[in-house]
Amino acid sequence: MHRPLILLLLLLINVNLSAQKVDILYFTDAHRIFPVDDVEGGRGGVARLKTVVDESQSDNSNTLVIHGGDLCGGVLFGGMYKGLPMVEAFNEIPVDICNFGQHEFDFGVDHILELLSKSKSEWFSSNLKNRDGEPFGKLPKYLMKRIGGIKIAFIGLTDAMNSTMKSNRVIQEDLSIAISDIIEDLQNVDFLIAITQTDLETNRKLLEQFPDIDLVLTEEQYEYESNVFYKGNKPIVATAGNMSSVAKISLQKDVRPLIDIIPLDENIASEKYLHDMEIYYKKDMELKLAEKISYLEVPLNFRDGITKESVAGNLVTDAYREWHKSDIGLINGGGIRADIPQGDFTLKSARSLLPFGNKICQILIKGKGLKSLLKKFAGNTKGQLLHVSGISYQYDQKTDSIQVKWKDKVLSDDELLTVSLNNYFLKKLDVECDVLIDETDANAKEDYEVLRNYCKKQKALHPKVQGRFVIVRE
């Protein structure tokens, strides 16, 4: 056989094989546009992601780019720019499909609808609903794609909507119910893929309940690690936080998915246009946050506040209480989001601690209601534990009992107290209270501004653990 004919046949074979394979590039939790610099060489960044996408599409035109959720809020950059730079970058890459994370709703429903209007990606949700029960934003409940001769159905699920801005304009339907409602429409496909923002245990339960699902692409389980877990032979792919890695999943009919984790590290070159965008936003952010406010004499560790009293929680609640001259300051531990080293305390430090830009409101509440509120979250280990200023409390998990002290006395049920808290937590309250200052009030300043004002009055900051609350666990 002539050499040119052999080469032509080989080319046709390769083209045919490529046409029968789909490559998915999956990443999640893209809160910031430029690399995180907490490891040597940095991790993440949209410019490195663009390089990986371009190379994959050059090798196989049947490449689908998917973001699992969370491009707003969550970190300092997300709090400052509220997701718009990420949408701009996603349009440039481009990202084909986006699922919602709860942080997309940190700045309200109108804001995410505005971002959707600017996004060229295809958004969908299987379990987020409008008040009338229809899919949120009139988006598709699922996606059906035929690529390279392979038929793929996608389910999109978002959990933990109780940890973002509460609104009756978006309702989280139970994940299992949402799948049950559409599963019959998703038959006769080569692959059924669930894109989820939920924890590992929930993903495993969903795979057990719905064996038709072939693959789960889920949220980060660890900030610095990418993982491929399994339920039986079904993969659950969780890439590292802050867009630190990309999973490349190769799909072929009647073949188990092949999964490769690609770190977005210094070994990946940065595409020039998006690298220039990264530099612009990094400089813009540094310029806005350079102001020195005070000096911090002890480091702040935000993770301490998830399960116990922390110096960061004490500093923040003191600032809240002082702002409105309230009896009490209050914040949930998960509302504090960054470690701050000892040294100059800058506006960047304040905004890193409190990246959501919540407004500080004030309520009037009876002692009975306050005890009920503290008790409700006292056993929580997922970010809802309440840090306080102006009172102290002790909760016994075994007896489910709580004692609260105010002004060195046991708080009575009928005592009236003013409480400073952010509007995020205010909207979660299910106890009786009167709202004295809501988020629309001119005195309801953003949380980081309240902290900035408090710290600026002091030449040095030395918050301490003072026994403000004790949780006696079982």
Side-chain angles (χ1 to χ4, degrees):
M1 188 178 291
H2 294 296
R3 180 179 175 83
L5 184 56
I6 294 173
L7 291 174
L8 178 60
L9 287 172
L10 288 173
L11 178 61
L12 290 173
I13 290 170
N14 285 335
V15 169
N16 188 50
L17 288 174
S18 176
Q20 297 175 20
K21 185 182 79 164
V22 174
D23 287 325
I24 290 176
L25 293 178
Y26 174 75
F27 66 103
T28 190
D29 295 272
H31 296 286
R32 54 186 278 170
I33 198 167
F34 47 81
V36 184
D37 58 4
D38 57 356
V39 297
E40 186 174 352
R43 56 189 178 96
V46 293
R48 291 170 176 170
L49 175 62
K50 172 68 171 170
T51 297
V52 172
V53 170
D54 287 348
E55 290 177 353
S56 181
Q57 290 178 335
S58 177
D59 293 338
N60 181 9
S61 60
N62 297 323
T63 295
L64 204 58
V65 184
I66 299 176
H67 178 240
D70 281 347
L71 58 77
C72 292
V75 300
L76 174 58
F77 184 86
M80 287 183 65
Y81 297 99
K82 300 178 172 57
L84 181 58
M86 305 311 302
V87 168
E88 293 174 349
F90 282 16
N91 289 344
E92 183 67 25
I93 289 171
V95 176
D96 299 297
I97 295 172
C98 285
N99 182 44
F100 291 97
Q102 76 270 28
H103 285 301
E104 266 65 271
F105 298 88
D106 283 351
F107 309 104
V109 170
D110 287 334
H111 181 74
I112 183 56
L113 291 175
E114 182 182 356
L115 288 184
L116 291 179
S117 72
K118 300 178 186 302
S119 174
K120 297 178 182 178
S121 303
E122 192 168 10
W123 291 77
F124 76 118
S125 180
S126 303
N127 78 306
L128 297 184
K129 309 289 185 180
N130 293 326
R131 283 174 291 196
D132 60 5
E134 292 299 309
F136 173 73
K138 299 182 180 179
L139 295 169
K141 292 189 287 187
Y142 57 84
L143 298 178
M144 197 76 74
K145 302 287 183 183
R146 186 179 290 277
I147 306 171
I150 298 176
K151 191 175 182 181
I152 309 171
F154 293 97
I155 298 169
L157 301 170
T158 306
D159 206 354
M161 286 291 287
N162 62 341
S163 62
T164 187
M165 187 72 73
K166 183 178 179 181
S167 171
N168 61 7
R169 295 170 62 194
V170 56
I171 298 165
Q172 178 187 320
E173 186 177 41
D174 179 85
L175 308 189
S176 295
I177 292 175
I179 297 175
S180 297
D181 287 345
I182 61 175
I183 195 72
E184 291 300 320
D185 297 337
L186 307 178
Q187 304 302 307
N188 302 315
V189 297
D190 297 304
F191 292 95
L192 177 54
I193 298 175
I195 308 170
T196 73
Q197 277 278 318
T198 192
D199 57 64
L200 181 58
E201 181 182 357
T202 302
N203 282 313
R204 284 177 167 152
K205 287 179 180 177
L206 292 175
L207 283 174
E208 184 175 351
Q209 187 176 358
F210 301 99
D212 288 345
I213 297 175
D214 299 294
L215 168 68
V216 175
L217 308 176
T218 195
E219 68 178 350
E220 61 169 291
Q221 302 299 309
Y222 301 100
E223 177 68 21
Y224 299 95
E225 297 177 16
S226 296
N227 305 92
V228 182
F229 306 98
Y230 286 88
K231 176 66 177 178
N233 64 350
K234 305 291 181 68
I236 303 170
V237 181
T239 54
N242 275 296
M243 201 169 46
S244 299
S245 62
V246 175
K248 185 173 184 177
I249 302 117
S250 296
L251 304 178
Q252 290 181 275
K253 288 184 179 181
D254 304 317
V255 177
R256 290 178 61 182
L258 296 177
I259 302 168
D260 183 29
I261 302 296
I262 305 170
L264 290 181
D265 58 19
E266 59 186 336
N267 295 311
I268 304 292
S270 294
E271 188 271 338
K272 185 181 185 309
Y273 179 81
L274 287 181
H275 185 54
D276 288 344
M277 187 185 294
E278 289 178 350
I279 292 171
Y280 166 79
Y281 277 108
K282 190 169 186 177
K283 288 183 176 178
D284 184 66
M285 183 173 164
E286 289 173 352
L287 184 64
K288 289 175 178 175
L289 298 175
E291 176 194 358
K292 180 181 175 181
I293 299 170
S294 185
Y295 185 84
L296 182 64
E297 295 182 342
V298 294
L300 306 180
N301 185 330
F302 82 96
R303 292 176 183 84
D304 287 348
I306 303 300
T307 57
K308 60 184 180 181
E309 181 185 355
S310 72
V311 290
N314 290 351
L315 176 64
V316 170
T317 53
D318 284 349
Y320 285 8
R321 181 164 68 104
E322 197 266 354
W323 179 252
H324 289 310
K325 308 302 179 187
S326 297
D327 298 311
I328 300 167
L330 181 152
I331 190 174
N332 63 300
I336 301 171
R337 304 292 290 193
D339 293 335
I340 307 297
Q342 177 184 351
D344 287 343
F345 191 83
T346 63
L347 183 55
K348 180 179 181 180
S349 307
R351 291 209 65 164
S352 297
L353 278 173
L354 303 170
F356 301 113
N358 291 315
K359 298 289 186 68
I360 303 307
C361 306
Q362 188 186 53
I363 62 171
L364 182 68
I365 191 170
K366 282 189 175 183
K368 183 179 180 180
L370 180 63
K371 292 175 192 177
S372 175
L373 179 63
L374 295 171
K375 185 178 176 181
K376 178 179 179 180
F377 297 107
N380 189 282
T381 57
K382 295 185 177 180
Q384 300 304 306
L385 179 63
L386 295 179
H387 296 251
V388 295
S389 174
I391 58 169
S392 63
Y393 69 94
Q394 180 168 317
Y395 173 74
D396 190 317
Q397 197 167 37
K398 186 175 182 179
T399 60
D400 191 30
S401 59
I402 192 165
Q403 184 183 74
V404 181
K405 287 189 174 182
W406 179 54
K407 295 184 176 179
D408 297 323
K409 295 180 181 179
V410 175
L411 181 66
S412 71
D413 286 348
D414 294 327
E415 191 74 59
L416 283 171
L417 300 166
T418 52
V419 181
S420 292
L421 72 174
N422 62 43
N423 61 313
Y424 157 73
F425 205 79
L426 175 58
K427 291 183 178 182
K428 292 167 65 71
L429 292 186
D430 57 2
V431 295
E432 185 178 346
C433 66
D434 293 327
V435 178
L436 304 179
I437 299 174
D438 67 13
E439 62 189 276
T440 65
D441 194 294
N443 290 318
K445 299 297 185 185
E446 291 184 308
D447 47 14
Y448 67 87
E449 288 286 3
V450 169
L451 181 60
R452 172 193 188 184
N453 182 75
Y454 177 80
C455 294
K456 204 165 187 177
K457 295 177 181 177
Q458 305 176 59
K459 292 182 179 179
L461 305 171
H462 196 105
K464 300 176 182 178
V465 171
Q466 299 173 313
R468 296 188 183 187
F469 63 87
V470 177
I471 309 297
V472 181
R473 304 188 189 278
E474 288 184 293

